[in-house]
Amino acid sequence: PHYVREYTLVLLRSQCGSQILLGYKKRGFGQGKWNGFGGKVEVGETPLAAAIRELHEESSLEVRPADIRLAGRMLFQFADETRVFRVHIYTGSRWTGQPVESDEMRPRWFNLADIPFDNMWPDDAYWLPKVLAGQSVIGYFLYAADKVTVLHHCLRDLVEP
Ligand code: 6U4
Ligand code: NA
Ligand code: NA
């Protein structure tokens, strides 16, 4: 049987909008890739609270709940695994503090024209441009066991009531 695990992912935009903050994942799942900041939602925790906590643990930055918005909810699966990743994606452009390297992540600002898609999860190339354009998305990606090949995907605009 398949089981769902809840995760978060935070993508911060510079105030002028021309850059995004990514982290180089130094260990664990997605090691060696650039990604937003995030991790597992803990028992009894809301996805929003988890997103704020993980951003702080991995980058030292602090954001207020009112300063990040839901930008997407995605399901990711691998053909050879029973685990389903349900990832709640948030964006924001207000925070306090300076990004600091952690055990898990090395933060770096990227110009929107220079996002390192070749060193990111391949699904990011599908949905991140939409999120950066201000859309919210909902989608599903099924990867082959190689964790590179996208076998199936479905991506739609998300409208929350
Ligand atoms: P620990 O706490 O060490 O067990 P770990 O297994 O390292 O956790 P963690 O906490 O870094 O995983 O969480 C995985 C992160 O990867 C979350 O921010 C969600 C994100 N993620 C998972 N699948 C993704 C995908 N296909 N595309 C993407 N981000 C993904 O852009
Ligand atoms: Na993490
Ligand atoms: Na984690």
Side-chain angles (χ1 to χ4, degrees):
H2 290 72
Y3 65 95
V4 177
R5 281 278 155 80
E6 308 277 333
Y7 293 84
T8 63
L9 192 63
V10 176
L11 294 153
L12 291 181
R13 282 288 276 283
S14 60
Q15 210 114 77
C16 63
S18 66
Q19 294 192 310
I20 63 165
L21 185 68
L22 298 174
Y24 181 83
K25 189 84 190 286
K26 293 159 68 174
R27 63 163 197 220
F29 185 77
Q31 183 176 355
K33 291 184 171 66
W34 292 95
N35 205 352
F37 299 87
K40 290 190 194 76
V41 179
E42 288 173 0
V43 175
E45 191 179 38
T46 63
L48 178 64
I52 292 169
R53 175 184 53 75
E54 288 278 350
L55 174 68
H56 183 249
E57 287 174 6
E58 294 181 353
S59 75
S60 295
L61 298 178
E62 307 242 21
V63 293
R64 293 179 303 187
D67 286 335
I68 56 176
R69 76 169 180 91
L70 183 71
R73 295 193 201 273
M74 305 289 287
L75 292 179
F76 300 117
Q77 239 188 319
F78 302 103
D80 62 332
E81 282 191 28
T82 51
R83 169 176 58 170
V84 181
F85 290 81
R86 184 169 189 242
V87 181
H88 305 263
I89 303 169
Y90 297 89
T91 57
S93 55
R94 282 174 179 277
W95 61 84
T96 54
Q98 298 292 328
V100 172
E101 181 167 348
S102 62
D103 288 353
E104 208 168 319
M105 288 288 230
R106 188 166 73 235
R108 193 181 132 184
W109 288 102
F110 288 89
N111 292 325
L112 296 193
D114 301 324
I115 295 173
F117 285 112
D118 290 347
N119 294 304
M120 297 170 74
W121 282 103
D123 55 272
D124 294 13
Y126 294 78
W127 58 262
L128 184 53
K130 286 172 170 281
V131 166
L132 294 174
Q135 286 173 251
S136 295
V137 292
I138 186 161
Y140 171 75
F141 284 79
L142 175 65
Y143 281 92
D146 65 9
K147 294 186 164 60
V148 177
T149 310
V150 176
L151 297 175
H152 295 292
H153 83 278
C154 181
L155 186 62
R156 295 289 173 91
D157 294 346
L158 174 64
V159 180
E160 297 263 310

